[in-house]
Amino acid sequence: MQRSLWSDDAALDVPPPLDRDVEADVCVIGAGIAGLSVAWSCAADGRSVVVLDDDPLVAGETARTTAHLVTALDAGW
């Protein structure tokens, strides 16, 4: 897997594993930019939120993409 330039220099949060049952209004699977944006929006609306991911925060595709703002760069190169 290719690493981005900023990933090599960034300290990413590594939350502890889920070790108990939790209850929330919303469960978001995935702690990338999309999942965290949804979680933040739900929390801002007053909902309780739990975010689950098997990697550190924003460490997956979010760390290696331009979010397809320019598909020619992501898909072509």
Side-chain angles (χ1 to χ4, degrees):
M1 167 178 12
Q2 188 175 14
R3 292 183 54 87
S4 68
L5 296 175
W6 55 85
S7 292
D8 288 337
D9 202 24
L12 298 174
D13 273 347
V14 181
L18 187 62
D19 61 357
R20 60 187 165 79
D21 290 343
V22 295
E23 200 168 303
D25 297 323
V26 178
C27 177
V28 177
I29 309 297
I33 192 67
L36 293 179
S37 295
V38 168
W40 180 86
S41 180
C42 290
D45 282 343
R47 294 175 178 86
S48 59
V49 181
V50 63
V51 177
L52 302 176
D53 202 317
D54 63 350
D55 283 322
L57 303 178
V58 299
E61 193 63 28
T62 296
R64 296 183 302 279
T65 185
T66 62
H68 293 285
L69 296 175
V70 182
T71 57
L73 295 177
D74 275 354
W77 299 17

